[in-house]
């Protein structure tokens, strides 16, 4: 099986979803970038992607605009990168970092030296100019109240940032980062997760669609006149509770239509 390419018929109804699975498996098996539990977490996300119709829904688009505005307003934004995010979107994450001025920091729940280095190398290969979170103990700062590897952060990165984008986060850390007063932007297909519920901005979408969308929103906002004023207005009007309600209502309506069709 090693390195064997699985042929996915292009007309398969779940071709894109299967292609993403194969990518994750390759980064798990060959590159040791994705953790075992990363594969399972992806399955949880896939189930919700099925429910939203594997497309970017309007509340996700709105949240993406707010996230882009936060990144542009931030004093010192950081993008936290884990194994799944690196495997699925390394090039787009680097693009987002360059465009928004956000630093990239490797931060892992299942932290091993091998995975940290592999993810750092992947980001450098994708064009990153600097990656935080790879360093020795001198650059570490501990986030209180956390037990997983994610408590170890870079002193000049997540630890001191005002705005952090945490794609595919776990609930404990989102809560801890919020308690530290940070603005937390997340991408999570499950609008019911603790991450989704406690973040400042939740993009209910697949990471593979959400990061390129964020890149285009940052680009769009950067080209506007009175950029800062416009971004401020966007974040002031934004209400994450309503976005989550809209996402749940979208799923509810879609299921009603589908269940009527099945009768
Ligand atoms: P929480 O800890 O926030 O309560 P959880 O315990 O239900 O969440 P975890 O396994 O900790 O879930 O985290 C995985 C999360 O990532 C899930 O909510 C899942 O929906 C989401 N997810 C997985 N893959 C993707 C993806 N490709 N794009 C967006 N979200 C994803
Ligand atoms: Mg969790």
């Amino acid at each position: 099986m090693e390195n064997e390419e699985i042929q996915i018929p292009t007309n398969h109804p779940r071709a894109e979803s299967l292609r993403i699975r194969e990518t994750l498996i390759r980064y798990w098996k060959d590159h040791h970038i994705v953790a075992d539990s990363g594969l399972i977490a992806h399955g949880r996300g896939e189930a919700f992607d099925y429910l939203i119709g594997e497309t970017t829904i309007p509340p996700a688009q709105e949240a993406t605009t707010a996230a882009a505005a936060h990144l542009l307003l931030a004093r010192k934004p950081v993008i936290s990168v884990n194994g799944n995010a690196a495997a699925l979107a390394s090039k787009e994450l680097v693009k987002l970092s360059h465009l928004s001025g956000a630093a990239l920091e490797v931060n892992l729940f299942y932290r091993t030296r091998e995975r940290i280095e592999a993810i750092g190398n992947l980001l450098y290969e994708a064009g990153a100019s600097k990656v935080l979170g790879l360093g020795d103990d001198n650059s570490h700062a501990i986030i209180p109240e956390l037990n997983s590897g994610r408590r170890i952060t870079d002193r000049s990165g997540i630890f001191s940032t005002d705005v952090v984008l945490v794609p595919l986060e776990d609930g404990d850390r989102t809560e801890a980062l919020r308690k530290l007063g940070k603005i937390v932007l997340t991408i999570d297909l499950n609008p019911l997760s603790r991450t989704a519920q406690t973040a400042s901005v939740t993009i209910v979408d697949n990471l593979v669609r959400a990061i390129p969308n964020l890149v285009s929103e940052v680009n769009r906002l950067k080209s506007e006149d009175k950029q800062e004023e416009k971004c401020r207005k966007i974040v002031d009007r934004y209400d994450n509770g309503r976005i989550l309600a809209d996402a749940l209502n979208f799923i509810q309506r879609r299921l009603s239509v589908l269940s009527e069709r099945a009768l």
Side-chain angles (χ1 to χ4, degrees):
M1 274 290 275
E2 195 98 351
N3 289 328
E4 190 180 306
E5 282 286 320
I6 307 279
Q7 291 302 322
I8 300 164
T10 46
N11 62 350
H12 189 288
R14 311 233 85 75
E16 178 59 10
S17 171
L18 293 179
R19 197 187 55 73
I20 296 169
R21 262 190 206 184
E22 290 308 322
T23 303
L24 273 180
I25 290 171
R26 191 155 40 84
Y27 278 99
W28 167 71
K29 198 197 274 179
D30 300 344
H31 305 282
H32 305 147
I33 277 179
V34 171
D36 297 359
S37 66
L39 296 178
I40 298 167
H42 182 75
R44 186 172 279 170
E46 273 185 347
F48 284 93
D49 210 5
Y50 221 116
L51 294 178
I52 62 172
E54 295 173 316
T55 185
T56 299
I57 62 176
Q61 194 56 51
E62 215 179 304
T64 301
T65 304
H70 271 300
L71 286 175
L72 290 176
L73 288 171
R75 176 175 48 82
K76 199 180 173 191
V78 177
I79 303 169
S80 176
V81 183
N82 70 1
N84 287 40
L88 294 180
S90 59
K91 288 205 174 81
E92 295 291 332
L93 286 167
V94 169
K95 213 185 268 181
L96 182 63
S97 149
H98 285 321
L99 264 177
S100 63
L104 292 161
E105 176 168 340
V106 178
N107 183 272
L108 305 179
F109 194 98
Y110 297 102
R111 190 183 163 87
T112 66
R113 171 75 11 224
E114 185 196 21
R115 289 188 64 228
I116 291 171
E117 279 171 11
I119 294 170
N121 290 339
L122 184 67
L123 292 170
Y124 279 123
E125 278 164 27
S129 40
K130 181 151 177 58
V131 181
L132 302 175
L134 312 176
D136 54 27
D137 290 348
N138 293 334
S139 58
H140 289 167
I142 301 293
I143 295 188
E145 301 179 48
L146 276 184
N147 295 319
S148 78
R150 299 205 109 161
R151 69 207 295 265
I152 302 172
T153 64
D154 198 296
R155 192 178 298 285
S156 64
I158 291 171
F159 191 75
S160 54
T161 188
D162 52 341
V163 174
V164 58
L165 170 65
V166 286
L168 314 196
E169 190 48 76
D170 90 286
D172 289 344
R173 193 166 76 126
T174 310
E175 279 171 15
L177 291 169
R178 292 288 282 137
K179 272 194 195 150
L180 290 174
K182 298 180 192 302
I183 293 172
V184 178
L185 318 171
T186 196
I187 300 165
D188 192 334
L189 278 158
N190 177 6
L192 300 170
S193 76
R194 277 176 312 148
T195 300
Q197 302 272 334
T198 48
S200 321
V201 175
T202 306
I203 302 171
V204 180
D205 202 1
N206 197 317
L207 175 91
V208 298
R209 297 187 296 271
I211 301 287
N213 277 344
L214 252 178
V215 167
S216 22
E217 273 306 85
V218 168
N219 241 334
R220 187 181 66 79
L221 289 173
K222 274 181 86 166
S223 67
E224 301 246 350
D225 295 336
K226 300 190 190 157
Q227 183 203 122
E228 190 173 340
E229 203 182 310
K230 282 193 182 147
C231 287
R232 181 74 49 210
K233 251 189 206 153
I234 291 167
V235 303
D236 285 350
R237 282 193 197 139
Y238 183 81
D239 177 351
N240 207 45
R242 183 181 61 74
I243 289 295
L244 291 172
D246 286 353
L248 288 169
N249 281 324
F250 182 96
I251 293 172
Q252 198 174 27
R253 279 198 306 276
R254 184 160 185 271
L255 292 182
S256 297
V257 171
L258 290 173
S259 63
E260 276 167 26
R261 214 180 282 165
L263 286 175

